[in-house]
Amino acid sequence: MKHRSLLLVLTSLMVLSLLVSACAPAPTQAPATQAPATEAPAATEAPAATEAPAATEAPAAACEGDYVLVPKNLGNPYFDTANNGAQEAAKELGINVLYQGSATADATEQITLLNSLIAQKPCGLAISANDADALVPTGQAAMDAGIPVVTWDSAIAPDGRNLHINQAVLHDIGAIEIKMASDLAGPDGGQIAILSATSTAPNQNAWIEVMKEELKKPEYSKLELVETVYGDDDDTKSYNEAQALFTKYPDLKVIIAPTTVGIAASARAVTDGNLIGKVFVTGLGTPNQMREYVKNGAAPQFALWNPADLGYLAVYAMHALATGEIKAEAGQKFTAGKLGDYTIEDDPDLGLNVLLGPPFVWDKNNIDDSHW
């Protein structure tokens, strides 16, 4: 009886042990439940690692905002033509380019406009500067805000922009204007005057300095530069300045106007004053505005590059910088649509720049070949 009781106790203990053992897998399974939890961060982190480059590259690949082309002033045929080229480039690139400027060619007004644009955070700014130095802080503010700054036609000093689109070699522009003036004055030479845009326009001033150096050459010894005046890229003022030159210098032979507003206004003043054949006008103009004056003899020849190409190239360069296709460094290359391939160069005076090409001379033989 005693043995039987002991057996029952032992049997009960064995059953109880088995029951306890049956519960043992629960602690063993707990790590199995935690294993996915341990792996979950890895699964969570994997997409993050995959998505990180996309998040970094997205702003460089495409900017959702507008690009802005800023001329020296509105209502200027030269800049309007440049905008035509800019809009052509914009269509090809699938971007939106706004054309915004002040009414007058004034540095202070331009700075006010640019500050307003910077606050709107555009994808890029392409600026024709009214003052090389005054716009430096504004250009720096744009770049500090992550906005690429390209200048075209007239540069901000190198510290205030990423890149300049140079319409032609500076020396070539000044030299061709003196050469045309000499041709028009004839072998006996005579008095010449310069009717520029604003007194602070960096491109105008640079070309005028080249002209003065060219006049020191023996072949131009019979040309006398009597005065440089400024029409401020305003048609009425330029016209009046030309008339004042006729009065002040009765023997004046040639007016050189390195500005599209000035050259057209001067040629009109010569025409209105019945001075065709006595006073000649040359400089930089566009075919459509100068066709009449080439044909009537007031301005037998003039030079320029294609401003539409200049605006076109400025937009392609601005877009390439904004998307990270190129950096603002010498040697960087990019393709500008129909214009082909370009390389950024570093000039000791001009800084980082891209050269559009050489100037072209129009006269009665080819004026009807161009319609812009």
Side-chain angles (χ1 to χ4, degrees):
M1 199 59 188
K2 197 181 280 188
H3 290 294
R4 181 185 257 176
S5 299
L6 181 60
L7 182 60
L8 287 171
V9 170
L10 289 173
T11 303
S12 299
L13 287 171
M14 290 178 65
V15 171
L16 181 62
S17 175
L18 288 171
L19 289 170
V20 171
S21 297
C23 295
T28 305
Q29 289 171 2
T33 304
Q34 291 172 0
T38 303
E39 293 170 4
T44 303
E45 289 167 9
T50 304
E51 292 170 7
T56 302
E57 291 169 8
C63 177
E64 298 299 326
D66 298 317
Y67 293 78
V68 189
L69 185 77
V70 182
K72 286 180 182 174
N73 63 310
L74 296 175
N76 184 323
Y78 171 87
F79 294 120
D80 290 345
T81 302
N83 181 48
N84 291 338
Q87 297 307 322
E88 180 183 355
K91 184 176 181 180
E92 293 173 2
L93 291 166
I95 61 176
N96 189 43
V97 175
L98 303 178
Y99 181 54
Q100 296 192 6
S102 54
T104 59
D106 178 79
T108 301
E109 288 190 19
Q110 193 171 46
I111 290 169
T112 300
L113 170 66
L114 289 170
N115 285 336
S116 174
L117 291 171
I118 291 167
Q120 298 171 42
K121 296 184 178 180
C123 296
L125 292 170
I127 306 163
S128 178
N130 278 309
D131 189 306
D133 297 323
L135 267 69
V136 168
T138 308
Q140 289 175 338
M143 292 187 292
D144 289 344
I147 303 167
V149 177
V150 170
T151 57
W152 56 285
D153 173 66
S154 182
I156 298 174
D159 288 344
R161 37 88 172 176
N162 298 108
L163 180 65
H164 179 60
I165 308 302
N166 189 15
Q167 54 267 44
V169 176
L170 185 150
H171 181 272
D172 290 353
I173 299 170
I176 195 67
E177 292 183 87
I178 292 298
K179 173 65 167 58
M180 292 187 296
S182 178
D183 291 344
L184 294 173
D188 294 332
Q191 295 180 340
I192 66 173
I194 298 172
L195 194 160
S196 187
T198 63
S199 61
T200 59
N203 56 345
Q204 304 280 314
N205 290 337
W207 298 331
I208 290 170
E209 287 305 310
V210 172
M211 289 186 225
K212 290 178 178 178
E213 287 300 313
E214 286 292 298
L215 287 171
K216 295 177 183 178
K217 292 182 176 180
E219 58 264 43
Y220 301 129
S221 60
K222 292 184 179 181
L223 293 179
E224 178 191 3
L225 177 60
V226 292
E227 190 173 357
T228 299
V229 298
Y230 301 93
D232 294 341
D233 262 349
D234 177 82
D235 179 75
T236 300
K237 185 175 181 183
S238 297
Y239 183 90
N240 292 338
E241 290 289 349
Q243 288 184 318
L245 287 172
F246 305 152
T247 301
K248 190 172 182 179
Y249 304 102
D251 295 326
L252 187 68
K253 282 285 191 72
V254 181
I255 292 177
I256 302 173
T259 156
T260 58
V261 174
I263 191 173
S266 297
R268 192 170 79 253
V270 166
T271 302
D272 293 347
N274 295 317
L275 296 172
I276 294 174
K278 183 178 187 301
V279 181
F280 300 99
V281 176
T282 191
L284 306 179
T286 65
N288 282 349
Q289 70 173 165
M290 295 305 295
R291 184 171 288 105
E292 172 188 352
Y293 305 118
V294 167
K295 291 183 175 182
N296 74 8
Q301 56 179 301
F302 68 97
L304 196 64
W305 47 93
N306 187 341
D309 287 346
L310 188 61
Y312 182 97
L313 179 56
V315 167
Y316 263 93
M318 177 171 54
H319 181 261
L321 286 169
T323 58
E325 179 185 346
I326 59 171
K327 297 178 180 178
E329 297 174 356
Q332 293 277 298
K333 301 177 184 295
F334 67 100
T335 300
K338 66 182 182 181
L339 297 181
D341 298 331
Y342 286 88
T343 302
I344 297 177
E345 301 175 354
D346 194 359
D347 181 89
D349 297 318
L350 192 58
L352 294 174
N353 74 97
V354 172
L355 177 64
L356 175 64
F360 181 82
V361 176
W362 283 269
D363 58 25
K364 64 181 181 180
N365 297 313
N366 60 16
I367 189 63
D368 286 329
D369 295 338
S370 302
H371 298 278
W372 47 269

